[in-house]
Amino acid sequence: MRLLLLAPPGAGKGTQGERLAARYGVRHIAAGDLLRAEAQAGGRLGREIAAHQARGDLVPDQVVLDVLTPAVVDAAARGGYILDGFPRTLAQATAAAQIAARLGVTLQAAVYMHAPDTVLTRRLLDRASEGGRSDDRADVIRHRLEVFAETTGLLVPYYSERGILVAVNADQPPDSVTADIQSGLSGLSLARP
Ligand code: ADP
C-alpha cells in the first residue's frame, strides 16, 4: 500500500495516518514530525526548519526532499507507506513521482480529507489549549489554512487527473472518516489487507 493523505491542518491526517498504517502494516511517514525532529536536532538546517514551521510557512522544497526522500525510499522497499503531509507542493509532487517511477513504486491513492475552515480552526485551538504545538496559535493557524488553500490545494486536481484521488468528509467522528476512506479505497479497486 502506497498512499498519501492530503489535508489542511486540523483535518485529522495524523490520526487517520496511524490507523491506516496499522491496518495495512506499513510505515506512517508524517512530514511535519520528521521536520520537527530535524528542527529539534538543531544546527543551521534545524534552525531554518524551525523558523518556517513557527511562522506556518512551508519549509523549502529541497530541504523537505532531503529529509523525506530516504524515509520514503526505505519504506517503499519494505512494503509501502502512508504519507502524511508530503508532498505538499506541486514541485514536491513532481520530484516524488520521478523518484517513485525510477524505483517502480508509484503512488496508488491520494486521500483528500476536507472540512470547513471554522471546524479546522476550532480543532487546532482546542489542541492548543491542551498544551499542543507552538504553531497552533490563531494567527499562525489562519496562515497555515491560507497556505493550504493557495499551494497544497493544487495537488487535489493534480491527483484527480491521475485517477487516484479519494475525497472524504473529515468533519465527522474519526471512525466514520476511517470507514469513508476504506470505502473510497475499495472504489479505486486497491488490494485490501
Ligand atoms: P499541519 O498539517 O497541521 O500544519 P504538520 O505537522 O503536517 O501539521 O506540518 C507542520 C509544519 O511543518 C507546516 O506548517 C510546515 O511548516 C512544515 N511542513 C510539513 N510538511 C511539509 C512539506 N511537505 N513541505 C513543506 N513544509 C512542510
Side-chain angles (χ1 to χ4, degrees), residues 14-90:
T15 304
Q16 299 300 327
E18 279 169 26
R19 289 181 180 202
L20 291 167
R23 183 171 191 111
Y24 291 103
V26 295
R27 181 164 170 202
H28 172 216
I29 301 178
D33 290 350
L34 289 184
L35 290 166
R36 271 186 292 278
E38 197 69 36
Q40 285 278 322
R44 193 194 57 77
L45 185 69
R47 283 193 297 276
E48 184 185 354
I49 293 171
H52 284 86
Q53 287 192 316
R55 290 192 302 265
D57 283 330
L58 292 180
V59 173
D61 289 332
Q62 195 52 54
V63 174
V64 172
L65 285 163
D66 288 348
V67 173
L68 269 293
T69 303
V72 176
V73 169
D74 182 65
R78 294 164 192 265
Y81 43 68
I82 307 296
L83 292 180
D84 159 354
F86 169 81
R88 239 189 245 237
T89 67
L90 274 175

Side-chain angles (χ1 to χ4, degrees), residues 61 87-96 151-152 154-155 158-159 162:
D61 289 332
R88 239 189 245 237
T89 67
L90 274 175
Q92 288 176 20
T94 314
T151 306
T152 309
L154 300 177
L155 295 182
Y158 175 88
Y159 290 114
R162 281 156 183 76

